[in-house]
Amino acid sequence: MFAYIIRRILYSLPILIGVNLMTFSLFFIVNSPDDMARMHLGQKRVTEGAIEKWKQARGYDKPLIYNEAESGVGKVTNTIFYDKSVRLFAFDFGYADDGRPIGEDILQRMWPSLAIAIPIFLVGILVNICFALLLVFFRSTYIDVWGVVFSVVLMSISTLFYIIGGQYLLGKLMQLVPISGYDTGFSAFKFLVLPVIIGVIGGIGSSTRWYRTIFLEEIGKDYVRTARAKGLSEIRVLFRHILKNAMIPILTGIVVIIPLLFMGSLLLESFFGVPGLGSYTIDAIQSQDFAIVRSMVFLGSVLYIAGLLLTDISYTMVDPRVRLG
Amino acid sequence: MSGLLHLREKIIRHINILLLVYLTLLLSSCDGRPWNNPYPAVDDGKNILYSVFLQRPKHLDPARSYSEEEYVIHGQVYEPPLQYHYLKRPYQLEPLTAVSIPVPVYQDKVGHVLPDNAEPDQIAYTLYDIHIKPGILYQPHPAFARNKAGEFVYQSLTESDLEHVKILSDFKNRGTRELIARDYVYEIKRLAHPGVNSPIFSLMADYIDGLKEYGDLLKKRYQEKKKAAGDGAVYLDLERYPLSGVKVVDRYTYQIRIKGKYPQILYWLAMPFFAPVAPEVDRFYSQNGMKERNLNLDWYPVGTGAYMLEENNPNRRMVLEKNPNFRADYYPSSGEAGDRQAGLLDDAGKRMPFIDKVIYILEKESIPYWNKFLQGYYDASGISSDSFDQAIQFVGSGEASLTEEMKKKQIKLLTAVETSIFYMGFNMLDKVVGGQNERARKLRQAISIAVDYDDYISIFRNGRGIASQGPIPPGIFGYLEGKKGHNPVTYKWENGKLKRRSLAEARRLLAEAGYPDGRDAKTGKPLLLHFDSAGSGPGEKAVWDWYKKQFSKIDIQLEVRNTDYNRFRSKMRDGNAQIFSWGWNADYPDPENFLFLLYGPNGKVKHHGENAANYDNPEFNKLFEKMKNMDNGSDRQKLIDQMVAIVRYEAPWIWGFHPKKFVLYHSWYLNAKLNLMAQNSLKYKKLDPGKRLAKRRAWNKPVLWPVWLMLLVLILIIIPAVIAYMKKERRSMNMRA
């Protein structure tokens, strides 16, 4: 398995270079370094001299990807792309346009993102699986039918509606939790209740339908009939046998997103004033801070690759027939 | 059967847990503290002001920062020599750290002093001697910390000294020192520092003697040092490089020498660009390892103001605390008419600041901000379009007043016309709408009549604004009210009121311009104009449709050329836009700061200036050059009137509107008065924390019955499922038996 992991990590290098190149191209098709400087310097009294100084200070005064003026390797290395990309592979994210170290920002903002994402993830899995198993247990009854209708309704509603509705109902009308905000340590609890509830409810519809389909596929199989014939209760059949055998498709969907939990939720973080990585990325896009955008895309790619690798590894744990080699 | 018993036990256990949760909630609500209070209990009743910031500030360095949002924070920390009187209107300068308002001394080319009434073209230099008050101390800061031997503790740090330092408070020792004239001179020198990249360097280089050359010198030295330092920190000791136009006269006096006459410099002296920066602070932040830890002047400002920035976490919150070294500064004892009745002079002569701590919280969305304001968790708030109808109603006379809901909460409203203008500009370099020929002028005049900004204000700004009659907003010298101030090209003065000229007049002008019924008289083709925009978001489409509708009133077709912001700016720079909307917010309350937007040598395309319409009229330019250096008075007013008349007639802009600011504040927030110029107004504000605490408790009692109702509904849904389950289990057991 170790060789497999090493091989997968090596495979990921060209992918990351490709992602970097694409991010770079897409960003600089839309924004030139001059545009970035103007955006950063504001709207009033911006002179060409000030723009030049801004670019020089941040290394944006070089050619984008190919430096004609240089010779040899310098043609490639003395460019914005090389300068800004190579360090990423050592996880040196450099500085944001406002001078703040990006790595430090990521470390600081990762925790609020996780504080929301982990409870949503765990509670969500529990609720969704239980709800899906409940529907399967009552399959072909009115509970199943209305459960599916309920799921479709939940799926059809925009997350934004859940957020604004939740803030209005629980925060404003019932006054049970703060409408928005964030704090550290145990004080964070009261701020997390509402976004977590909304995050969980927002995910019930689609996940329940997905799990229900998986479980229904399993329920007709021979081992289930055998389990029932042994005299096991339906609850035990569902939770001990069907759930265990349905783990591969479930893990495919779940494990891959575990590393991405770090990246936070764009909408929830913005509306609840949670200083996580989701809102960090959105702010960077709005302020055309390429250094942050590039770092976040790179980090997202790395985490996604890590998620896929973890998924593969997790298969070996739930299904002894799977071998990585 | 044992399975069923087991299930029943489980259900009972769950009901017990629910009861326990209920009792816990009940007990926790007994102390009367609202559950939705976002602040820690220890802060209840404390003299803390809660406010918001919508975006993380980019700069807090006084030489770099040039945005209202940033001034809100560091305007309380830094003290330039002058400030605006908090209460008096029109806006008046008064000394802050200066002993008095500096008086200009005019000199000719050889240095002879000229009389005060000397003609501007005779004046080669103007000298301003600025005397600062002795005894003003800086906030406590590690840069000033000294050991018993009197040596600086943190001015020669090594990497190992910084090993455990992450934030500024990791430096345990702090010190202070007296503010001296040298610090002001140092900051003016910083405007030319290539590493600082001050936005006003180019402007000031035109006026402060020797600043341009100083910038060139520093650039050279900076590059040399940068080369030598490699990846290390670069420090330029500006005290080693004298600046000819700015010098220290004595410990408490410095002198600025201005080229020619530039009375507006006094307004700049009330802005943070001219606030003091102690050289040792610059040296402290320029040490190796500081940048990596984000320890710099852009992040941790150091000043003599009423407050100091104790926490700078723009990801979440920024905290200002009372500066313990702040000098004795007293609330003004005079204001404008009505201030006494409004209670704004109740604290006259009392020592400021009144508030102990200010917490600015990152609140990006307007809905949570508004709702938290209504719950009493923010002390003041603006009004977004979403909540406007909830807060404001217009009474018969057209006056804005608060709705009953707001009055019930004793919320108060402040309004003021902003010293800003939003206008629609014609690119004067454009072949169709530009130029100073009669055809183009009549076309622009016709469009100016058709585009009804009163309607715009009513539809898109909830009535928050007034239609502009010219480039100068109310509150600025040169603005005239009533009949004298109306724009005769687009309005008539009838029965003591403004009345927009009719569309028939617009059509007549259009026909005279060669476009009868909106068609080119020569070719017969319909007149198609282009509006260049960088709009985004759903609201923008409605605005574009409105613009199209205005143009179609006189049969002109308007095409919107929307693009992203960068492309739009590029079009403007290259002169490729035809019609556009633009705005300007005053730097200082002087007509020069608005009329320069139409000054030819300030054109955007040719001179990269702020004249976005590229308007260039020699007569206007000549008048501007004369007017800009004059003192306010009837002579200046005459010139301004002439200039305004020229641009109204030429119509390079459709004058647009001056926005009106609406601010709501709670009854416990005292001494609130809108001052659109002052950046240090926090020290005047006062709170009644006891009243706030009581109101918060009264307004935020948790409403629990819906929770129980929801639980009941849930139980009612679950019961049939449980019964069905039990039946199913019983059936399968029977079958097995």
Side-chain angles (χ1 to χ4, degrees):
Chain A
M1 193 201 285
F2 183 70
Y4 175 80
I5 293 170
I6 296 292
R7 200 164 63 240
R8 284 289 297 271
I9 290 171
L10 290 175
Y11 285 163
S12 68
L13 289 177
I15 296 172
L16 288 174
I17 292 170
V19 166
N20 233 323
L21 196 62
M22 280 187 70
T23 315
F24 185 85
S25 311
L26 288 172
F27 190 91
F28 283 102
I29 283 171
V30 182
N31 312 289
S32 68
D34 277 35
D35 294 333
M36 292 162 66
R38 281 176 205 282
M39 175 64 93
H40 194 79
L41 292 170
Q43 298 195 4
K44 278 179 152 183
R45 304 183 194 276
V46 180
T47 61
E48 293 301 318
I51 291 168
E52 279 312 308
K53 279 184 199 164
W54 187 91
K55 290 193 311 192
Q56 266 176 19
R58 287 158 185 81
Y60 287 113
D61 55 338
K62 295 177 181 176
L64 285 175
I65 214 151
Y66 186 74
N67 193 340
E68 291 240 11
E70 289 287 328
S71 58
V73 193
K75 283 182 187 292
V76 179
T77 55
N78 200 11
T79 59
I80 296 178
F81 177 71
Y82 187 83
D83 274 0
K84 305 288 175 192
S85 303
V86 169
R87 285 180 174 180
L88 282 180
F89 286 88
F91 290 92
D92 176 0
F93 297 115
Y95 296 90
D97 286 344
D98 63 6
R100 199 171 152 84
I102 296 172
E104 203 175 283
D105 259 348
I106 291 174
L107 277 178
Q108 202 183 77
R109 300 183 75 134
M110 179 180 88
W111 301 109
S113 283
L114 286 174
I116 292 192
I118 290 177
I120 292 178
F121 177 71
L122 295 176
V123 178
I125 290 173
L126 191 74
V127 170
N128 298 338
I129 289 180
C130 290
F131 190 42
L133 285 171
L134 183 82
L135 297 186
V136 171
F137 180 77
F138 291 109
R139 62 195 169 280
S140 308
T141 66
Y142 78 97
I143 294 174
D144 183 25
V145 173
W146 284 107
V148 172
V149 170
F150 180 62
S151 299
V152 172
V153 170
L154 288 180
M155 276 170 70
S156 314
I157 297 170
S158 140
T159 313
L160 204 61
F161 178 85
Y162 289 121
I163 294 173
I164 295 173
Q167 284 181 330
Y168 185 77
L169 192 71
L170 293 179
K172 194 181 176 190
L173 288 185
M174 293 161 71
Q175 304 182 143
L176 300 178
V177 286
I179 288 174
S180 67
Y182 187 74
D183 209 340
T184 49
F186 285 112
S187 311
F189 178 76
K190 64 181 171 188
F191 295 103
L192 296 177
V193 172
L194 187 53
V196 168
I197 290 174
I198 287 168
V200 170
I201 292 175
I204 287 178
S206 53
S207 302
T208 301
R209 288 199 61 203
W210 164 237
Y211 294 143
R212 178 181 168 275
T213 312
I214 297 169
F215 296 144
L216 282 178
E217 256 180 47
E218 291 294 319
I219 210 158
K221 290 188 177 167
D222 288 346
Y223 73 88
V224 178
R225 204 172 302 131
T226 312
R228 284 198 190 119
K230 272 165 53 183
L232 295 179
S233 70
E234 195 65 12
I235 295 275
R236 200 164 277 199
V237 170
L238 285 172
F239 280 92
R240 289 259 172 98
H241 295 269
I242 293 177
L243 182 58
K244 201 174 172 186
N245 283 285
M247 280 314 267
I248 288 236
I250 291 175
L251 285 176
T252 308
I254 288 176
V255 180
V256 76
I257 62 166
I258 291 176
L260 290 174
L261 297 178
F262 287 90
M263 302 299 287
S265 159
L266 306 183
L267 270 180
L268 281 174
E269 286 179 11
S270 276
F271 271 82
F272 287 99
V274 176
L277 288 175
S279 52
Y280 188 52
T281 314
I282 284 285
D283 289 349
I285 293 168
Q286 281 169 353
S287 62
Q288 296 183 8
D289 194 325
F290 175 65
I292 300 177
V293 173
R294 174 203 64 199
S295 304
M296 294 309 293
V297 172
F298 181 82
L299 193 64
S301 312
V302 170
L303 292 172
Y304 191 68
I305 290 168
L308 290 173
L309 189 59
L310 279 178
T311 310
D312 286 353
I313 295 168
S314 68
Y315 290 160
T316 63
M317 292 174 180
V318 295
D319 190 343
R321 292 169 298 178
V322 177
R323 289 278 183 276
L324 301 177
Chain B
M1 210 48 194
S2 68
L4 285 178
L5 282 171
H6 187 63
L7 184 72
R8 200 165 295 149
E9 274 172 23
K10 264 188 177 175
I11 291 168
I12 291 166
R13 203 181 309 144
H14 286 142
I15 289 170
N16 285 338
I17 290 169
L18 278 175
L19 278 170
L20 202 68
V21 170
Y22 170 67
L23 283 172
T24 314
L25 290 176
L26 212 65
L27 283 172
S28 65
S29 62
C30 285
D31 68 349
R33 191 166 195 273
W35 295 6
N36 63 356
N37 190 335
Y39 309 124
V42 288
D43 287 345
D44 283 355
K46 282 191 181 166
N47 190 13
I48 300 173
L49 176 79
Y50 294 96
S51 189
V52 300
F53 63 104
L54 307 175
Q55 283 180 339
R56 45 194 275 166
K58 286 179 187 160
H59 302 292
L60 295 175
D61 181 335
R64 302 172 86 175
S65 170
Y66 200 9
S67 120
E68 291 292 321
E69 292 84 21
E70 292 160 5
Y71 290 162
V72 169
I73 309 282
H74 71 72
Q76 322 309 324
V77 177
Y78 285 112
E79 290 192 305
L82 306 179
Q83 67 177 353
Y84 289 94
H85 194 285
Y86 180 56
L87 299 174
K88 287 182 183 170
R89 302 291 181 276
Y91 295 106
Q92 276 181 30
L93 285 175
E94 64 173 11
L96 177 58
T97 58
V99 173
S100 58
I101 303 274
V103 178
V105 174
Y106 304 118
Q107 285 183 340
D108 63 13
K109 278 179 192 166
V110 286
H112 291 141
V113 175
L114 297 169
D116 290 350
N117 57 357
E119 286 298 314
D121 51 359
Q122 290 180 307
I123 299 169
Y125 298 105
T126 308
L127 305 182
Y128 288 94
D129 280 355
I130 300 146
H131 308 281
I132 57 164
K133 295 168 191 165
I136 296 173
L137 294 177
Y138 278 99
Q139 66 178 78
H141 192 273
F144 301 119
R146 288 175 186 265
N147 58 22
K148 282 178 186 165
E151 295 156 338
F152 283 114
V153 180
Y154 301 122
Q155 293 285 355
S156 317
L157 296 170
T158 60
E159 195 51 52
S160 64
D161 293 331
L162 290 168
E163 204 179 338
H164 301 293
V165 172
K166 280 187 175 168
I167 52 174
L168 198 67
S169 54
D170 290 335
F171 292 103
K172 296 299 165 214
N173 298 312
R174 290 182 176 201
T176 186
R177 77 152 166 82
E178 190 186 29
L179 171 73
I180 50 175
R182 190 178 69 146
D183 304 335
Y184 283 99
V185 174
Y186 195 83
E187 168 64 356
I188 297 173
K189 288 177 175 178
R190 288 184 77 243
L191 298 178
H193 194 303
V196 173
N197 203 7
S198 174
I200 65 158
F201 167 64
S202 298
L203 177 78
M204 285 303 140
D206 289 342
Y207 293 110
I208 297 177
D209 186 35
L211 192 65
K212 191 177 179 304
E213 296 73 20
Y214 193 72
D216 295 339
L217 172 76
L218 291 189
K219 195 176 172 185
K220 222 180 264 175
R221 296 284 170 273
Y222 186 70
Q223 277 167 353
E224 286 165 9
K225 290 223 169 198
K226 210 173 170 187
K227 219 173 189 179
D231 284 341
V234 180
Y235 171 59
L236 268 186
D237 184 1
L238 301 183
E239 294 206 291
R240 286 184 54 203
Y241 308 101
L243 166 60
S244 59
V246 184
K247 65 178 183 188
V248 175
V249 177
D250 60 41
R251 186 173 171 84
Y252 300 113
T253 309
Y254 65 104
Q255 186 184 72
I256 302 176
R257 189 165 64 189
I258 298 291
K259 287 187 268 185
K261 189 180 177 184
Y262 185 53
Q264 289 80 12
I265 189 71
L266 291 181
Y267 295 117
W268 287 104
L269 290 178
M271 293 176 78
F273 292 114
F274 287 84
V277 167
E280 49 267 58
V281 170
D282 192 25
R283 204 180 312 132
F284 169 80
Y285 283 133
S286 300
Q287 296 175 92
N288 274 325
M290 290 291 191
K291 187 187 170 199
E292 291 74 10
R293 288 163 178 83
N294 203 35
L295 298 171
N296 54 54
L297 208 52
D298 227 7
W299 216 254
Y300 293 104
V302 188
T304 57
Y307 292 92
M308 52 189 196
L309 187 63
E310 270 302 275
E311 185 182 332
N312 182 4
N313 179 2
N315 297 332
R316 194 160 74 85
R317 66 178 208 165
M318 304 180 82
V319 179
L320 289 175
E321 276 187 27
K322 242 183 190 176
N323 172 7
N325 298 338
F326 189 57
R327 68 187 177 282
D329 191 13
Y330 300 98
Y331 192 87
S333 47
S334 59
E336 63 174 344
D339 283 350
R340 192 167 295 281
Q341 289 79 0
L344 286 166
L345 288 169
D346 291 355
D347 289 313
K350 288 186 186 164
R351 192 168 173 172
M352 300 183 295
F354 300 110
I355 295 168
D356 295 337
K357 191 173 174 179
V358 188
I359 301 180
Y360 295 96
I361 297 158
L362 181 65
E363 199 75 76
K364 286 187 194 166
E365 301 296 332
S366 60
I367 296 173
Y369 175 22
W370 172 248
N371 285 327
K372 280 160 88 174
F373 167 71
L374 291 183
Q375 290 174 335
Y377 296 124
Y378 289 125
D379 299 305
S381 167
I383 313 172
S384 71
S385 300
D386 301 328
S387 39
F388 190 82
D389 291 339
Q390 192 187 348
I392 303 292
Q393 60 187 0
F394 287 96
V395 289
S397 58
E399 277 287 297
S401 78
L402 291 165
T403 56
E404 286 309 311
E405 185 190 347
M406 299 296 117
K407 283 180 190 164
K408 213 169 140 188
K409 284 183 175 268
Q410 296 176 314
I411 287 170
K412 290 171 185 168
L413 170 71
L414 285 175
T415 65
V417 178
E418 293 182 40
T419 46
S420 313
I421 184 165
F422 286 90
Y423 59 89
M424 187 183 272
F426 297 103
N427 179 6
M428 294 298 280
L429 302 176
D430 184 78
K431 280 183 205 161
V432 182
V433 298
Q436 279 160 26
N437 55 69
E438 197 180 335
R439 179 201 59 78
R441 175 179 52 76
K442 286 190 170 171
L443 172 63
R444 292 193 298 268
Q445 286 180 340
I447 297 170
S448 299
I449 294 171
V451 180
D452 183 355
Y453 266 98
D454 291 300
D455 192 44
Y456 179 95
I457 293 163
S458 163
I459 295 172
F460 297 106
R461 296 195 54 86
N462 308 99
R464 284 177 286 181
I466 59 166
S468 312
Q469 301 298 315
I472 303 173
I476 305 274
F477 180 82
Y479 174 83
L480 295 176
E481 289 208 38
K483 190 181 177 183
K484 277 186 182 173
H486 89 283
N487 176 8
V489 175
T490 48
Y491 287 92
K492 284 192 276 189
W493 188 260
E494 276 185 7
N495 306 322
K497 276 184 181 175
L498 281 174
K499 193 184 173 196
R500 183 165 280 276
R501 287 190 179 274
S502 68
L503 288 177
E505 283 182 71
R507 284 177 194 279
R508 180 180 53 76
L509 284 165
L510 192 64
E512 286 171 14
Y515 302 101
D517 300 324
R519 287 180 177 272
D520 190 322
K522 287 177 194 160
T523 62
K525 284 184 182 170
L527 177 60
L528 175 68
L529 298 178
H530 301 280
F531 178 75
D532 292 278
S533 167
S536 59
E540 212 64 38
K541 173 81 171 55
V543 176
W544 296 333
D545 288 344
W546 182 85
Y547 286 148
K548 284 180 188 175
K549 192 180 147 200
Q550 301 305 303
F551 280 69
S552 71
K553 287 196 291 197
I554 51 172
D555 302 317
I556 296 177
Q557 292 178 24
L558 184 73
E559 187 183 77
V560 176
R561 292 191 296 210
N562 189 38
T563 180
D564 64 80
Y565 183 71
N566 294 332
R567 298 288 85 73
F568 172 69
R569 298 276 296 200
S570 155
K571 272 187 189 179
M572 292 296 293
R573 279 197 307 277
D574 300 339
N576 292 329
Q578 190 173 54
I579 303 172
F580 55 89
S581 63
W582 207 259
W584 183 258
N585 186 29
D587 289 312
Y588 43 80
D590 191 87
E592 180 266 350
N593 197 233
F594 284 88
L595 292 170
F596 92 116
L597 299 171
L598 291 157
Y599 178 53
N602 198 23
K604 190 162 275 298
V605 173
K606 289 183 190 160
H607 309 281
H608 311 292
E610 299 295 344
N611 177 356
N614 302 296
Y615 177 68
D616 191 4
N617 178 325
E619 194 188 347
F620 180 92
N621 294 347
K622 212 171 151 191
L623 289 169
F624 176 81
E625 281 154 19
K626 204 170 171 194
M627 179 280 305
K628 71 172 185 174
N629 293 328
M630 289 172 78
D631 298 319
N632 288 345
S634 58
D635 289 344
R636 200 179 195 208
Q637 182 69 57
K638 265 184 209 164
L639 288 187
I640 292 168
D641 291 347
Q642 282 178 49
M643 294 170 73
V644 171
I646 290 170
V647 288
R648 278 175 180 160
Y649 180 69
E650 294 259 30
W653 298 358
I654 301 171
W655 299 104
F657 65 96
H658 307 296
K660 204 169 181 181
K661 192 167 188 171
F662 279 51
V663 173
L664 298 176
Y665 63 99
H666 283 294
S667 54
W668 58 77
Y669 187 59
L670 308 168
N671 297 340
K673 180 168 181 171
L674 284 179
N675 186 322
L676 304 172
M677 286 294 150
Q679 279 129 15
N680 59 347
S681 56
L682 197 59
K683 63 181 177 183
Y684 303 96
K685 306 284 168 52
K686 197 176 170 184
L687 290 172
D688 180 348
K691 188 175 183 185
R692 178 172 65 184
L693 186 66
K695 290 277 183 194
R696 277 182 186 171
R697 288 188 175 200
W699 292 345
N700 295 291
K701 287 183 179 145
V703 181
L704 284 171
W705 65 262
V707 178
W708 308 128
L709 185 70
M710 276 191 275
L711 274 177
L712 188 70
V713 171
L714 203 66
I715 289 166
L716 289 175
I717 292 170
I718 289 170
I719 285 173
V722 172
I723 293 168
Y725 170 76
M726 289 162 94
K727 272 186 189 168
K728 201 172 177 182
E729 281 295 282
R730 201 174 295 137
R731 207 165 43 238
S732 59
M733 269 192 291
N734 289 343
M735 278 169 71
R736 282 198 288 272

